[in-house]
Amino acid sequence: MTEDITIPLPSLIHRIGGEKAKQAKIIALQYDCELKRVRRSRNWGVIGEAVNIQSFTEQLKAQSDDNFRYLIQKIETALLGHADKLEPLDEKLVRLIKQTPGITLGELIQLTQCTLTEARVARFNVDF
């Protein structure tokens, strides 16, 4: 159901420095994300589930370090394109049912890649 996304971070070492990149790498691992170089280039990328990457960004903000500003800005900008993956499945199902009351269980399953049981539970919760 959940898939990893990759956010490109060009010239990361040049922008934040080697020590800060190492520190960010350690923080990323705590949130099940991976911050790594793209092959042998100077470009980097962060890979993980959108929700985990968002949590990683929040932790970087909590560090109150100006050197992470570039990294935070790049990640937040890229996450705007993945807003649908930041919403939990049950909230997404409820939103879809409320937007389109006549939506079938099959359509819900196709749109969200959820199970039949999850779709039925969401439909039941919205009805009550």
Side-chain angles (χ1 to χ4, degrees), residues 59-75:
Q59 181 61 36
L60 289 176
K61 285 181 187 176
Q63 297 288 322
S64 300
D65 193 340
D66 249 5
N67 294 323
F68 289 134
R69 187 177 49 222
Y70 167 78
L71 183 58
I72 293 167
Q73 179 186 2
K74 276 296 211 184
I75 292 173

Side-chain angles (χ1 to χ4, degrees), residues 17 29 78 98 124:
L29 287 175
K98 286 182 178 179
F124 180 78

Side-chain angles (χ1 to χ4, degrees), residues 3-122:
E3 60 184 57
D4 287 350
I5 61 171
T6 302
I7 298 175
L9 303 166
S11 304
L12 182 68
I13 295 288
H14 175 72
R15 306 231 187 215
I16 69 172
E19 284 302 313
K20 291 298 174 183
K22 288 178 187 174
Q23 188 179 355
K25 224 174 165 180
I26 293 168
I27 295 170
L29 287 175
Q30 294 172 357
Y31 292 92
D32 296 325
C33 299
E34 190 175 12
L35 181 66
K36 64 180 188 174
R37 272 178 64 183
V38 178
R39 293 187 257 352
R40 294 179 59 177
S41 70
R42 65 182 181 163
N43 298 324
W44 287 62
V46 63
I47 302 167
E49 293 181 16
V51 175
N52 293 341
I53 292 175
Q54 185 179 38
S55 300
F56 165 58
T57 307
E58 293 301 319
Q59 181 61 36
L60 289 176
K61 285 181 187 176
Q63 297 288 322
S64 300
D65 193 340
D66 249 5
N67 294 323
F68 289 134
R69 187 177 49 222
Y70 167 78
L71 183 58
I72 293 167
Q73 179 186 2
K74 276 296 211 184
I75 292 173
E76 286 182 339
T77 303
L79 283 176
L80 292 175
H82 297 284
D84 60 322
K85 296 175 184 159
L86 295 173
E87 185 178 29
L89 179 62
D90 53 342
E91 290 179 16
K92 188 174 188 177
L93 288 169
V94 168
R95 179 180 52 82
L96 288 171
I97 292 170
K98 286 182 178 179
Q99 283 178 347
T100 315
I103 194 168
T104 65
L105 294 177
E107 291 170 334
L108 278 175
I109 293 169
Q110 184 179 16
L111 286 172
T112 62
Q113 304 301 316
C114 69
T115 64
L116 180 61
T117 306
E118 291 169 329
R120 284 182 177 163
V121 168

